[in-house]
């Protein structure tokens, strides 16, 4: 398991009591608020791919991380497809940091047109936009990332089939419809 706590990153395995807990100073870390997996971390320390495998309690997670080092510190990154296997939310824009950049990537990736991009950004910043969640840097050193789940965007429960169909095939329109209904704090 990987855990971020009090500015440190811990690697441990509750199933292997003889395996030493590793504990390093963490410089930046993003933890998915939904599945609680560490999405990314940057820390002062060293762990090899072979060692990391030992700390993974689930077999499916043994190869889930990419890693490397920059400027004397090491980074790990949960592979997108590994995240997808455990979570219905996905990171928006693989390298985008900050809500502005992430929304820009989102618009590019999905090729959507949104009249009021600033309104969408504000709604996400305020945490009132369904379908989007901010993922802060646990250490507070870097800008937040963004995760997205299309099925959470629109509450289609009381919607007619025609309306639902019209909105679900047009993501941009869908987002604008949602934006019309939300209330931003003053
Ligand atoms: Zn997740």
């Amino acid at each position: 398991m990987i855990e971020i706590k009090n500015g440190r990153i811990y690697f441990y395995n509750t199933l292997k009591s003889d395996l030493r807990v590793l504990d390093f100073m963490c410089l930046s870390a993003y933890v998915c608020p939904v599945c609680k997996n560490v999405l990314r971390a940057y820390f002062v320390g060293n762990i090899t791919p072979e060692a990391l495998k030992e700390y993974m309690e689930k077999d499916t997670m043994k190869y889930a991380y990419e890693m490397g080092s920059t400027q004397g510190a090491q980074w790990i990154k949960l592979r997108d497809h590994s995240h997808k296997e455990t979570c219905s939310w996905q990171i928006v824009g693989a390298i985008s940091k900050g809500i502005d950049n992430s929304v820009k990537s989102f618009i590019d990736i999905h090729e959507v047109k949104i009249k009021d991009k600033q309104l969408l950004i504000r709604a996400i910043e305020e945490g009132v936009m369904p379908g989007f969640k901010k993922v802060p840097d646990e250490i507070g050193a870097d800008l937040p990332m963004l995760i997205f789940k299309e099925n959470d965007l629109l509450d289609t429960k009381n919607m007619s089939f025609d309306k639902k169909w019209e909105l679900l095939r047009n993501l941009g329109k869908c987002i604008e419809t949602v934006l019309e209904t939300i209330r931003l704090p003053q």
Side-chain angles (χ1 to χ4, degrees):
M1 305 288 279
I2 311 172
E3 198 173 317
I4 314 293
K5 214 163 82 183
N6 301 327
R8 313 222 29 116
I9 184 167
Y10 296 89
F11 297 89
Y12 63 91
N13 189 331
T14 57
L15 309 173
K16 293 179 185 171
S17 54
D18 54 337
L19 190 67
R20 194 165 62 95
V21 174
L22 296 179
D23 159 18
F24 304 116
M25 185 173 93
C26 192
L27 301 172
S28 168
Y30 296 89
V31 178
C32 178
V34 182
C35 67
K36 309 294 179 200
N37 277 306
V38 173
L39 298 172
R40 263 156 223 218
Y42 187 51
F43 53 94
V44 184
N46 205 293
I47 185 165
T48 62
E50 293 70 34
L52 183 61
K53 262 194 312 196
E54 296 295 315
Y55 289 94
M56 293 297 154
E57 292 179 8
K58 288 189 202 131
D59 282 345
T60 49
M61 294 298 283
K62 287 199 186 315
Y63 300 95
Y65 284 90
E66 289 174 60
M67 59 178 73
S69 52
T70 356
Q71 297 169 342
Q74 190 172 348
W75 57 265
I76 55 168
K77 175 185 178 292
L78 182 61
R79 294 176 204 279
D80 286 341
H81 72 88
S82 298
H83 187 214
K84 207 173 271 179
E85 279 167 14
T86 51
C87 190
S88 52
W89 290 72
Q90 292 305 310
I91 297 175
V92 174
I95 50 162
S96 301
K97 293 245 184 88
I99 303 306
D100 288 30
N101 280 328
S102 298
V103 166
K104 190 176 174 293
S105 299
F106 178 84
I107 288 171
D108 290 347
I109 292 163
H110 294 275
E111 296 180 331
V112 288
K113 285 197 179 66
I114 293 164
K115 265 181 267 158
D116 194 346
K117 195 174 80 178
Q118 286 310 316
L119 184 62
L120 175 60
I121 291 169
R122 251 205 87 200
I124 294 169
E125 294 274 10
E126 297 285 353
V128 294
M129 184 68 195
F132 292 87
K133 280 186 205 292
K134 271 194 294 189
V135 185
D137 178 7
E138 298 279 317
I139 312 299
D142 213 339
L143 294 170
M145 293 180 17
L146 193 59
I147 54 173
F148 174 64
K149 182 183 175 186
E150 190 165 353
N151 290 345
D152 265 34
L153 194 56
L154 199 62
D155 183 6
T156 53
K157 245 179 279 149
N158 300 313
M159 213 174 262
S160 72
F161 179 80
D162 287 349
K163 185 80 182 159
K164 209 191 307 192
W165 178 243
E166 183 200 342
L167 290 177
L168 289 181
R169 66 197 173 122
N170 185 336
L171 187 57
K173 195 160 183 190
C174 189
I175 288 170
E176 278 174 356
T177 307
V178 176
L179 280 172
E180 281 164 20
T181 63
I182 61 166
R183 291 189 43 196
L184 283 166
Q186 292 302 304

